[in-house]
Amino acid sequence: MTSSKTPVGQTASQGWEMGIRRTFPITPDQAWELLFTQPVLGHWLDTNAQLSFEKGDTYTTRTGITITISSVTTAKVIRMKWQVAGESNTSTLQVRVIPAKEKTTVSFHHEWLKDAAERAAMKTYWENVLDQIAARI
C-alpha cells in the first residue's frame, strides 16, 4: 500500500523548500553586516563577491551560481533568485534578520528547489553558513 503523505519539504504551491534559522547574541545590524561582507559572504556566495545588494543586482560566482536580487529591506530581509550553472531551475532564497530580545535570529528560506536531493544539499549548505556566523561571534 502506498502512502499519500507528502514528503517533508515538498509543497503543493512552491515545489521543494527548506528553512533553517539560528539565534545569535548580536544586534540585527551586526547580523546583516556579517551576512553581506567577507569572510561570511565567502561561505555562502564567494570570496570575490563585493556587492551592494540592491534590487536588480546580479552576480555570478566562480562556481556558476547566479543570483539576482529581487527585493531588499536593509537589516531585515532580502529575496533573490538563485540559479546553478547548467540548470534550468531557478529557486528563490530569502534571508531574514529577526530581532529576538537582546539577540537576533538569522533565517534562510529556500524555495522552488527541484527535488528532495537539492533540498537536503541546500539545508546542509545553509547550516554551514550559520556555523560560520557562530564562529565569528
Side-chain angles (χ1 to χ4, degrees):
M1 179 175 209
T2 55
S3 171
S4 63
K5 188 173 182 177
T6 303
V8 172
Q10 187 176 28
T11 70
S13 63
Q14 296 171 320
W16 290 86
E17 66 181 10
M18 60 74 45
I20 189 166
R21 59 177 55 197
R22 195 175 301 169
T23 302
F24 301 101
I26 56 177
T27 68
D29 287 336
Q30 290 170 319
W32 193 264
E33 181 76 15
L34 279 170
L35 283 163
F36 297 105
T37 59
Q38 300 296 346
V40 172
L41 181 60
H43 290 285
W44 72 267
L45 200 51
D46 82 26
T47 56
N48 292 334
Q50 300 295 328
L51 294 168
S52 59
F53 289 96
E54 308 240 345
K55 184 177 179 177
D57 284 353
T58 297
Y59 180 79
T60 301
T61 69
R62 291 180 306 222
T63 60
I65 296 168
T66 299
I67 63 160
T68 302
I69 308 302
S70 308
S71 64
V72 180
T73 303
T74 303
K76 291 188 179 184
V77 64
I78 187 168
R79 287 180 59 87
M80 63 191 80
K81 295 296 182 186
W82 180 281
Q83 187 168 23
V84 176
E87 296 284 335
S88 60
N89 182 57
T90 300
S91 58
T92 301
L93 173 66
Q94 177 176 273
V95 181
R96 294 183 66 207
V97 172
I98 307 161
K101 296 188 181 180
E102 293 104 34
K103 299 178 182 179
T104 300
T105 300
V106 174
S107 168
F108 296 102
H109 184 83
H110 210 149
E111 58 194 35
W112 294 106
L113 300 168
K114 67 181 178 180
D115 55 27
E118 186 177 36
R119 179 188 184 273
M122 295 315 297
K123 184 174 186 287
T124 299
Y125 189 89
W126 297 116
E127 284 173 341
N128 180 56
V129 174
L130 292 172
D131 290 345
Q132 294 303 318
I133 293 169
R136 302 282 183 259
I137 297 175

